[in-house]
Amino acid sequence: MKKTFEVQSGTTLRCKGWRQEALLRLLENVLAVGEAPEKLIVYAAMGRAARDWPAYNAIVEALLTLEEDQTLIVQSGKPIGILRTHSQAPIVIMANCNMVGQWAKAENFYALEQQNLICWGGLTAGDWQYIGSQGVIQGTYEIFCRIAERHFDNDLRGRFILTAGLGGMGGAQPLAGRMANAAILTVEVNPERIEKRIKAGFLERRADTLDEALALIADAQARREPISVGLLGNAAEIYPQILARGIIPDIVTDQTSAHDLVYGYVPLGHTLEQVAARRTSDMEGLMNDSRASIVQHVQAMLGFQDRGAVVFDNGNLIRTHARQGGVERAFNIPVFTEAFLRPLFARAIGPFRWIALSNDADDIRKIDDFLLRRFPDNLIVSNWIKLARQYVPFEGLPARIAWLGHGERTELALEVNRMVRDGELSGPVAFTRDHLDAGAMAHPNIMTENMRDGSDAIADWPLLNAMINCSSCADLVAIHSGGGGYSGYMTSAGVTVTADGSVAADQRLQLSMTNDTASGVLRYADAGYEEALDEVERKQIGRIDTAAARYQ
Ligand code: NAD
């Protein structure tokens, strides 16, 4: 029988305080909404919530007994000790999957993982911040909107988006495309993933043949009506077939787990069972076959680009593996961050999230109302909240994501803390964000590609971000590096703080929400981005101008 994973609801505490209880509920939540919870896998092929089940149980036990002035230390998904700190120190600190530079390779990661010495936390899996496919949906939607502005007179009606991957993150694509009014086709090799997204309300239609899928898309295009279609198939086969028919989508991307050649991408001609068997019997051969399929996949993407489609990489290293497989032009495809989101990140506007810990969806609606009243002129926020209310279903604990910037996040968090204190909400609310945020990530093929000052690969920034969040009394702070196919490609930092209505939470939220985004603005200001320099000047962040002048 399939085990079900549940999250505690209501306001009864099992832990000694809400800070501990919040983290326990978030841990339960990432499994409740994750892709393969029985294996502790949350998303991105092998992003795990904990190292193994004994480690999971030990984390739960620790959170249940932790005092307010203690800190639990977690190393790659395993709790290694509880130390006495003080009542404003983080409740949990973690370092997940950090390997020393020359050792940070996929093969070494797999060997260490097999010895049960390490596990990969993805970005938001290992530090219990994942909120289902909603977590990336506004980012994907914003990318489609920016493309619409730049290339399609701000209107995607009648436009065709082709993509692939309906996993933990990729599953957001059909809904994001539909919300942007496009006709979106997503190719997915695993039928269960298609069914899961239909059931969750993220995907409308399933097609079993390419003819059927293209007919549904063409019909919706002709009527200028949005539609989302999932097609069962392998993208490395379907993309070239669509190209060969001379059908050129308006926008093309991909969100398969192409970053991982062993546990993520499914090579051509393979069933899921065949891939699983080769992981142990022939890992090297499997990596070669995955790379060879990615070559065909990316060559088709370049073919679409040559014939006028707007093509972009959606953050899965597909270009990197294609180039290693010999596709020299792979990096002609731009990455979404540099192409569409950098001006937002330079102002530390990024994917901020909040989660209703009591499991009451009305709490999220009340917070939506506040945002609509407080930021009516901020269209990134107000348009999104209206759309999200209408279209985005809740998965697990009710949660919302919105791209808020420096000062805005602090204001929202403090207001929510007041609402909790005054009994306007039915329970505490946790605040967190994606690691793909201004100050929190060094990822030279995704987040920090082509930084203006050439600082793409410098990982000091996320490490500083984590340290300032620890110094700013956040409840959980995590430092992650890439695992599996991402080994050696990235370092990032995560933070979570709970609004439990207390005065102490006011201080924690004020400091950590403010300093988290401040570190992002300072990172981009140091790289010379005008938006960040403007933000520093207008909001007086960190006084970097006078400091820089003094030290030059
Ligand atoms: P996932 O492992 O949960 O899902 C990947 C899906 O791709 C699976 O359903 C798998 O069956 C499918 N797939 C694999 N090979 C395929 C092929 N050849 N053809 C068709 N389908 C195939 O991963 P996820 O969490 O959805 O993440 C997908 C990728 O996006 C990862 O590389 C992840 O790191 C990246 N990512 C990007 C962002 C971003 O901000 N842009 C955010 C999170 C994750």
Side-chain angles (χ1 to χ4, degrees):
M1 207 176 73
K2 205 170 173 194
K3 199 173 165 197
T4 53
F5 293 86
E6 283 175 12
V7 191
Q8 172 92 0
S9 294
T11 50
T12 305
L13 283 178
R14 295 163 292 174
C15 303
K16 296 191 172 168
W18 264 109
R19 299 168 76 205
Q20 301 90 315
E21 179 75 28
L23 296 178
L24 178 54
R25 291 187 189 199
L26 294 178
L27 169 60
E28 292 168 341
N29 193 49
V30 295
L31 291 183
V33 299
E35 292 301 301
E38 63 290 346
K39 290 190 255 177
L40 290 160
I41 289 177
V42 179
Y43 76 103
M46 57 191 316
R48 277 177 212 280
R51 180 105 52 99
D52 53 18
W53 282 107
Y56 175 90
N57 292 332
I59 290 171
V60 171
E61 191 56 37
L63 289 172
L64 287 170
T65 53
L66 213 59
E67 302 285 345
E68 178 79 2
D69 61 352
Q70 292 180 318
T71 298
L72 169 67
I73 304 171
V74 177
Q75 179 262 327
S76 281
K78 179 176 140 187
I80 55 151
I82 294 173
L83 298 181
R84 173 99 31 220
T85 49
H86 57 85
S87 62
Q88 292 289 64
I91 283 287
V92 176
I93 55 170
M94 20 170 97
N96 288 326
C97 205
N98 300 283
M99 289 183 280
V100 172
Q102 295 289 333
W103 278 258
K105 298 188 169 57
E107 290 81 351
N108 291 339
F109 167 83
Y110 296 131
L112 290 168
E113 208 214 16
Q114 266 171 17
Q115 294 171 61
N116 204 23
L117 290 172
I118 202 166
C119 82
W120 183 46
L123 303 179
T124 54
D127 49 0
W128 322 326
Q129 296 159 343
Y130 180 76
I131 56 168
S133 297
Q134 190 187 163
V136 285
I137 194 166
Q138 194 189 355
T140 312
Y141 171 78
E142 288 297 332
I143 296 168
F144 293 151
C145 291
R146 297 289 90 78
I147 294 176
E149 274 167 22
R150 231 179 262 181
H151 300 278
F152 301 108
D153 289 331
N154 210 7
D155 185 3
L156 289 185
R157 276 175 303 170
R159 300 291 175 181
F160 172 17
I161 302 174
L162 171 66
T163 186
L166 286 172
M169 290 297 185
Q173 300 179 101
L175 186 53
R178 204 202 173 284
M179 289 165 85
N181 288 321
I184 179 164
L185 173 61
T186 311
V187 184
E188 167 59 59
V189 79
N190 182 345
E192 283 179 18
R193 296 291 170 93
I194 297 182
E195 291 313 317
K196 183 169 178 173
R197 300 307 158 211
I198 290 179
K199 214 166 145 204
F202 278 73
L203 173 69
E204 291 167 296
R205 301 289 297 266
R206 171 193 166 128
D208 290 323
T209 66
L210 180 56
D211 285 337
E212 192 191 334
L214 290 175
L216 285 166
I217 294 288
D219 178 58
Q221 280 185 278
R223 290 184 287 109
R224 293 171 58 77
E225 280 180 10
I227 192 170
S228 60
V229 180
L231 169 63
L232 186 63
N234 191 308
E237 186 176 16
I238 302 286
Y239 280 36
Q241 284 176 357
I242 296 176
L243 184 64
R245 289 183 186 206
I247 297 172
I248 309 301
D250 297 289
I251 300 169
V252 179
T253 187
D254 170 73
Q255 216 170 15
T256 59
S257 270
H259 70 273
D260 197 302
L261 303 175
V262 179
Y263 289 86
Y265 196 79
V266 177
L268 275 170
H270 282 66
T271 62
L272 299 174
E273 294 72 29
Q274 286 167 332
V275 174
R278 286 185 77 190
R279 279 179 194 143
T280 39
S281 66
D282 176 26
M283 188 188 280
E284 209 181 317
L286 178 60
M287 288 174 99
N288 289 338
D289 284 351
S290 291
R291 199 178 290 109
S293 294
I294 285 174
V295 162
Q296 296 187 38
H297 192 153
V298 170
Q299 273 166 341
M301 291 170 78
L302 286 163
F304 289 127
Q305 189 182 46
D306 290 342
R307 297 186 59 185
V310 178
V311 182
F312 70 93
D313 174 306
N314 203 0
N316 62 355
L317 287 195
I318 196 164
R319 300 169 306 161
T320 312
H321 289 308
R323 188 167 62 186
Q324 285 165 3
V327 184
E328 280 173 17
R329 292 198 308 139
F331 277 72
N332 285 5
I333 298 171
V335 67
F336 72 105
T337 38
E338 189 201 358
F340 306 111
L341 300 180
R342 190 151 295 163
L344 296 179
F345 283 131
R347 292 189 186 277
I349 297 170
F352 190 52
R353 300 144 185 215
W354 49 99
I355 302 140
L357 294 166
S358 68
N359 203 10
D360 185 344
D362 266 351
D363 286 357
I364 297 296
R365 294 193 191 100
K366 287 175 188 163
I367 299 170
D368 285 348
D369 289 339
F370 165 74
L371 278 169
L372 291 172
R373 279 196 312 274
R374 175 63 190 84
F375 299 110
D377 303 327
N378 179 339
L379 297 184
I380 294 179
V381 174
S382 57
N383 282 349
W384 171 254
I385 295 290
K386 287 179 207 156
L387 276 171
R389 271 189 151 172
Q390 193 180 347
Y391 290 107
V392 181
F394 292 131
E395 299 171 87
L397 288 176
R400 185 69 80 218
I401 179 158
W403 280 52
L404 290 159
H406 183 73
E408 295 168 342
R409 297 186 190 187
T410 313
E411 191 179 338
L412 172 66
L414 290 175
E415 173 61 9
V416 168
N417 201 39
R418 183 203 64 74
M419 290 163 89
V420 176
R421 183 161 49 238
D422 293 350
E424 292 172 28
L425 302 180
S426 57
V429 172
F431 286 94
T432 184
R433 55 154 171 75
D434 197 5
H435 288 212
L436 190 115
D437 202 29
M441 181 180 276
H443 204 331
N445 279 174
I446 296 182
M447 179 69 173
T448 47
E449 185 164 310
N450 290 328
M451 288 294 288
R452 185 170 290 174
D453 62 346
S455 59
D456 308 17
I458 295 177
D460 293 342
W461 300 104
L463 300 180
L464 288 168
N465 174 270
M467 288 193 276
I468 194 67
N469 272 312
C470 279
S471 317
S472 303
C473 317
D475 290 334
L476 176 145
V477 182
I479 295 171
H480 287 197
S481 286
Y486 280 130
S487 301
Y489 280 96
M490 58 163 298
T491 295
S492 64
V495 60
T496 302
V497 195
T498 297
D500 60 8
S502 65
V503 174
D506 274 338
Q507 187 191 354
R508 288 194 285 270
L509 291 162
Q510 170 78 46
L511 285 174
S512 57
M513 297 295 99
T514 306
N515 292 339
D516 186 42
T517 44
S519 87
V521 174
L522 294 177
R523 190 265 177 274
Y524 279 86
D526 193 60
Y529 287 88
E530 292 79 15
E531 295 90 345
L533 292 164
D534 175 57
E535 202 76 6
V536 163
E537 183 64 35
R538 282 193 310 116
K539 297 182 180 168
Q540 290 291 296
I541 301 169
R543 302 170 63 84
I544 196 168
D545 46 355
T546 48
R550 203 166 341 119
Y551 291 112
Q552 260 165 19

